[in-house]
Amino acid sequence: MAEHRRGANLPSIGGFNRTVVLDAVRRSPDGLSRVELAARTGLSAQTVSNVTRFLIEAGMIAESGTVVAGRGKPRTILRLEAASRYAVGVHVDPAVVTYVLLDLAGTVVASTTTSTPTADDPSQVVRTVAGAVDRLVTEAQIDVDAVLGVGIASPGPIDVDAGVVLDPPFLPRWRDVPLRDALAEATGYPVLLEKDVTAAVVGEMFLAGESSARNFAFVYFGTGFGVGLVVDHEPVRGVGSNAGDAGHIMVDQGTLAGTPDGAGSRGEVGAAVAPDRLVEIARARGLRLGVGDGSGGVGASGGADASGASDGAGVEGVDRAWDELAAAIEAGDPTAIGLAEEAGAVMGRAVVLIVNLLDIDRVVFGGPFWSRIASAALPAARAAIVGSELLVPKHPVVVDESDRGADVAAVGAACLVLDAALSPRASALLIRR
């Protein structure tokens, strides 16, 4: 169970205390009384009274009924006003850019997509994304002043300090794109840039609320294979905020063996389960996926032809073929189900190494390509993890699927904004000269 942050009763840190109280209310769907807030946050009754008055006037919480708790005056319940503030999340994927609008409770109230623009002209990238963000907010009839900001989830590597997308392997023409600052200028909103796998794990942690695990791994299966980590309720970003690349972990690829990096049955997990490769294997086994649409490979090869040009049609073709694979799984096709099970097992074998390394007790699978094969892949991944002879921890390891669906990275990007605005940070207490 997640721990509530503790506040402090000093007048100089009122802003920190507001986030402490707001975070406590947000994590309690049934609401809290002022007495309960004081007990959970460690703040004095007077401080809680002052902070809640401010938050009520700001429209972020509201009084909602009373409860009788023993003798004395009934207690007034305070609940979050979810529609008082919003955040936009943007996920840049080689096939499509996804946009979501979340309210203060983390509920998706609107979403849309655009084709991923080429980065030959970075200004066109900014215009495309900014235009889509503006339309999303306008069509949802949301006051722009109620939008806290925009979060961007991008494939890595990125330069978080500079706000630059450096050179993602699956977006070959995206080189040193100054997305954060340019988008902030174009939209007028504060903008945060984060690696996609980290954004996904932040979203999972933020929206889990009280049930958030202290330590867990988020296995992100998109165009690439990554693993986001949470240790002691904090996402692991690394020195350059590019942690999470797990595709080079060597595993027993089983029936998917045969990648260029491999030797015998062993090879890299990312190469083995690259979506374009799995589509080709499915076709070789007799499944007619994307036949005639000109789809080509864009996974393990990095998405470029011999000239280094991005094969955008190939990316979109693989995505369409993946939809057909998902439909075949749902229809009970044994070949499709078997392929998804093999992919899940290979990913599970890689995750065993991470579970052993960090001694974690929960693994969550998610991502745009994962959600479409999860019904077959998740049981196989779970069996590969908990039944592995190499598994070291003796405690139970829970293996489940994210509830965020295919838009998990976009939702996570919006949660970056909500988390920055609503979650208490001890660094806010530092005295700055």
Side-chain angles (χ1 to χ4, degrees):
M1 185 173 182
E3 296 177 356
H4 288 278
R5 297 280 187 167
R6 306 288 285 182
N9 298 298
L10 299 176
S12 60
I13 52 176
F16 176 76
N17 286 338
R18 289 168 193 161
T19 58
V20 168
V21 170
L22 191 59
D23 185 60
V25 174
R26 177 185 69 82
R27 291 172 178 270
S28 304
D30 295 331
L32 294 171
S33 68
R34 290 173 175 82
V35 172
E36 290 170 318
L37 277 170
R40 294 198 182 194
T41 63
L43 296 169
S44 68
Q46 184 60 52
T47 299
V48 168
S49 178
N50 292 340
V51 169
T52 55
R53 184 184 306 114
F54 175 89
L55 294 175
I56 290 172
E57 292 174 354
M60 301 180 79
I61 64 173
E63 295 181 339
S64 178
T66 59
V67 295
V68 177
R71 297 180 178 179
K73 182 180 177 181
R75 297 175 181 177
T76 300
I77 297 299
L78 299 168
R79 288 189 173 88
L80 187 70
E81 282 288 287
S84 64
R85 301 291 190 279
Y86 298 86
V88 176
V90 180
H91 176 214
V92 178
D93 180 82
V96 66
V97 181
T98 302
Y99 310 81
V100 297
L101 181 68
L102 267 60
D103 65 17
L104 208 55
T107 302
V108 177
V109 297
S111 63
T112 188
T113 60
T114 64
S115 296
T116 303
T118 175
D120 288 340
D121 179 5
S123 63
Q124 180 58 44
V125 174
V126 173
R127 286 194 296 270
T128 298
V129 176
V133 168
D134 288 341
R135 287 192 299 275
L136 182 70
V137 174
T138 300
E139 292 175 3
Q141 299 182 331
I142 301 300
D143 187 339
V144 295
D145 292 334
V147 178
L148 296 170
V150 178
I152 304 173
S154 169
I158 60 176
D159 185 334
V160 169
D161 293 334
V164 173
V165 180
L166 296 176
D167 56 347
F170 302 138
L171 289 167
R173 291 181 180 175
W174 285 58
R175 292 293 183 272
D176 301 325
V177 180
L179 194 53
R180 185 194 63 198
D181 293 348
L183 188 60
E185 183 176 354
T187 62
Y189 299 126
V191 176
L192 299 175
L193 175 65
E194 190 70 86
K195 189 173 177 180
D196 50 9
V197 66
T198 305
V201 81
V202 168
E204 187 70 23
M205 180 174 57
F206 183 86
L207 295 177
E210 291 286 82
S211 62
S212 177
R214 177 182 288 276
N215 306 284
F216 69 93
F218 188 101
V219 182
Y220 182 84
F221 184 41
T223 305
F225 177 85
V227 178
L229 300 170
V230 169
V231 176
D232 198 21
H233 288 313
E234 293 293 338
V236 176
R237 289 182 165 89
V239 174
S241 294
N242 283 297
D245 281 336
H248 295 297
I249 293 177
M250 299 294 288
V251 295
D252 179 357
Q253 296 176 330
T255 55
L256 298 181
T259 57
D261 58 86
S265 66
R266 295 189 63 78
E268 295 182 356
V269 58
V273 301
D276 69 321
R277 181 172 185 266
L278 294 180
V279 166
E280 292 302 321
I281 292 175
R283 289 171 178 161
R285 295 180 181 181
L287 289 176
R288 294 177 60 81
L289 304 180
V291 174
D293 69 1
S295 61
V298 67
S301 63
D305 60 22
S307 65
S310 174
D311 186 3
V315 177
E316 295 174 0
V318 169
D319 194 61
R320 289 192 296 271
W322 204 259
D323 283 335
E324 296 174 20
L325 176 64
I329 292 172
E330 186 176 357
D333 186 287
T335 300
I337 292 172
L339 181 61
E341 290 174 341
E342 293 165 36
V346 171
M347 288 187 250
R349 292 178 198 128
V351 172
V352 169
L353 303 181
I354 296 169
V355 172
N356 288 345
L357 180 66
L358 296 176
D359 192 25
I360 55 179
D361 59 0
R362 183 169 183 244
V363 178
V364 181
F365 283 80
F369 280 92
W370 173 265
S371 61
R372 287 174 276 180
I373 65 169
S375 61
L378 182 62
R382 181 183 292 119
I385 295 170
V386 301
S388 174
E389 295 179 354
L390 301 178
L391 188 67
V392 173
K394 302 306 178 185
H395 56 68
V397 178
V398 176
V399 181
D400 52 24
E401 179 186 7
S402 172
D403 296 330
R404 319 308 162 202
D407 296 338
V408 60
V411 171
C415 287
L416 291 168
V417 177
L418 296 178
D419 186 61
L422 306 182
S423 298
R425 294 287 183 270
S427 58
L429 302 178
L430 298 176
I431 298 175
R432 304 186 185 280
R433 296 182 182 274

